[in-house]
Amino acid sequence: MEMTQTQRLPVPQQVAWQALNDTALLQHCIPGCESIEPDGDNAYQLTMMAAVGPVKARFKGRMALQDIQAPDSYTIHFDGQGGAAGFGRGSARVTLEPDGEETVLTYTVNAQVGGKMAQIGSRLVDAAARKMADTFFTRFSEAVSGQSGGNDIDEQSTGDAAPGDDAEATGERKQKRSWTAWISKS
């Protein structure tokens, strides 16, 4: 599967870069993401629930950032296993370009899927990937621009409260952690 898209983010490039490197923010924006934990320099272990057509599974995997050119670009390499549902692996090249007070984000993903996911057909896999990307960028744009209530992330509107988090049930808002550019620390 190959996918290339461009998104316009309503924030300056440095703010977009910091947000793209804030694992707490990303966890709230990635559909189905349950956890993102550090696993070495510029590497992370992820757990997420994903559905592609009739195939639903919890995927566990690793992503590593390489070719980091802060605050302009990096490459994400990922590999995930979903048990009997199959696997996914590949890379995504992400670039940021300033455009006035906004940022133009372009990404190109090259991925392979196997197992039951590959058996359901590439059109269904592609459609699920595009839907996931669209949902991510909607949530991400809202979070970085403060449209979900100032500097809060509205757990109820995203529908992805962290496991054990009762913010969704009570309608409370959870404070977003401050942005940190962890890449600049390495």
Side-chain angles (χ1 to χ4, degrees):
M1 171 186 79
E2 287 188 32
M3 181 169 61
T4 299
Q5 288 191 344
T6 299
Q7 299 286 329
R8 183 168 291 279
L9 303 175
V11 294
Q13 182 181 14
Q14 188 62 39
V15 173
W17 178 261
Q18 289 173 335
L20 284 170
N21 293 293
D22 180 344
T23 56
L25 177 65
L26 293 176
Q27 182 176 340
H28 288 288
C29 295
I30 298 170
C33 187
E34 296 174 355
S35 68
I36 301 177
E37 302 294 330
D39 186 35
D41 289 340
N42 300 320
Y44 299 88
Q45 291 289 330
L46 282 85
T47 302
M48 65 183 295
M49 289 294 294
V52 178
V55 179
K56 294 180 182 180
R58 173 174 281 120
F59 287 83
K60 292 184 179 186
R62 186 171 196 267
M63 78 172 185
L65 305 181
Q66 297 178 348
D67 306 322
I68 301 166
Q69 304 293 320
D72 299 317
S73 65
Y74 57 51
T75 300
I76 304 168
H77 292 279
F78 56 89
D79 186 4
Q81 298 291 325
F87 69 88
R89 67 174 156 245
S91 65
R93 181 72 181 159
V94 179
T95 60
L96 298 174
E97 293 182 28
D99 186 14
E101 288 298 310
E102 295 185 329
T103 303
V104 176
L105 181 147
T106 302
Y107 66 92
T108 301
V109 176
N110 291 301
Q112 292 178 306
V113 296
K116 287 183 182 177
M117 285 192 314
Q119 295 172 357
I120 63 174
S122 64
R123 287 190 344 177
L124 203 52
V125 172
D126 290 351
R130 287 189 195 286
K131 182 179 179 187
M132 183 179 264
D134 290 345
T135 300
F136 169 79
F137 281 109
T138 298
R139 292 175 182 178
F140 185 77
S141 292
E142 289 173 356
V144 298
S145 67
Q147 292 178 12
S148 60
N151 287 333
D152 295 342
I153 294 176
D154 185 349
E155 297 280 359
Q156 199 165 13
S157 70
T158 64
D160 281 338
D165 212 351
D166 64 356
E168 186 172 326
T170 63
E172 295 174 6
R173 292 176 186 242
K174 183 176 178 180
Q175 276 292 24
K176 175 175 65 179
R177 294 182 193 165
S178 63
W179 293 338
T180 57
W182 51 261
I183 287 180
S184 63
K185 294 178 186 175
S186 54

